Amino acid sequence: MNETFSSLPAAPVRDIAVVGAGRLGRVLARALTAAGFSVAGPLHRGDPIPAVDAAILCVPDAAIHDAALAARPHARLVGHVSGATGLDDVDFSVHPLQTFTGIEAPSVFHGIGAAVDGRTPETLAVAERLAVALGAHPFQVDDRHRAGYHASASIASNLILAVFDAAERVAGSAGIPSAQARAVLAPLVRQTVTNWADRGAAGALTGPIARGDEATVARQRVAVAEGNPELLELVDALTAQTRVLAGREGDGVSSRFARSTTPGADQGTTTGETGRTRA
């Protein structure tokens, strides 16, 4: 998934039909209009498609084949915005790497990544130029790697919500109402994401596993088993993977903890040699 820009000039695309009036279709139509394109849509199922340079399909993956067939007679090029589906039925793809509710301003595309691909160098260039026009940063993902790329995005945007929900429910068992739990945990989540973006997961890791504090880990497990036994399997799996992550920096579990107990080490500091803050 390397950032790429074709050296070939893109075929001019000025008139665009956005096919599909779901969350992304609505936002994309507004953003393309704001970027200076002539946009028809977002079009609902069965709406006539005018003659355009490109039709961009914002439909469920299972509907791409039929939607592409319907758009072909009216569009010189057909593309889709799916992250998981290949190019069998279309000429190019642009997948904005973002989550959408449908009410965002066009600026939601500014600065995000956009996975692009094309059946030819020229259609790849079209996809790149569209991403850039939206304010996104294009990078190429071909059909062979599309499922893995989309899995990565799903882990980062979808599966992580199961972890957040688990944290909220465990907080509830500790007597903290859901709304308050989200309010007090959200700043911690935001800072963790910032640290991960800056330094990677191993560099951002803090807490009892990173310190080798197995007594605290054991007490936490007992609390989960008592208050939320249905989450114990998830917590055990995450704990095991976090131990693996902690081991990437040193001796397998607690290199930071070993440093802190070495004779002569500074026991008063709250930041280890890696610059991580205790949590």
Side-chain angles (χ1 to χ4, degrees), residues 191-192 194-196 198-213 242-260 266 268-279:
Q191 188 60 52
T192 301
T194 296
N195 294 346
W196 164 72
D198 290 343
R199 309 181 60 184
L205 183 63
T206 65
I209 293 176
R211 295 193 297 269
D213 184 356
T242 303
R243 287 194 175 99
V244 173
L245 180 62
R248 292 181 188 175
E249 249 198 4
D251 59 7
V253 176
S254 57
S255 59
R256 212 165 69 104
F257 181 70
R259 285 194 298 270
S260 71
D266 181 2
T269 182
T270 59
T271 303
E273 290 178 12
T274 62
R276 294 187 309 213
T277 302
R278 289 175 67 96

Side-chain angles (χ1 to χ4, degrees), residues 60-150:
D61 287 13
I64 287 175
H65 176 75
D66 289 343
L69 287 177
R72 280 291 177 197
H74 312 286
R76 177 168 56 84
L77 297 174
V78 177
H80 66 52
V81 295
S82 170
T85 301
L87 302 181
D88 290 346
D89 299 305
V90 299
D91 302 297
F92 67 89
S93 65
V94 180
H95 178 249
L97 192 50
Q98 183 57 281
T99 182
F100 298 93
T101 65
I103 63 173
E104 291 88 357
S107 60
V108 70
F109 294 97
H110 294 180
I112 70 170
V116 300
D117 199 16
R119 294 173 68 90
T120 67
E122 186 176 41
T123 55
L124 172 59
V126 169
E128 291 168 348
R129 299 312 191 270
L130 287 171
V132 170
L134 291 169
H137 301 297
F139 58 96
Q140 187 179 4
V141 178
D142 59 27
D143 279 7
R144 183 166 63 96
H145 297 101
R146 195 174 291 271
Y149 153 73
H150 201 250

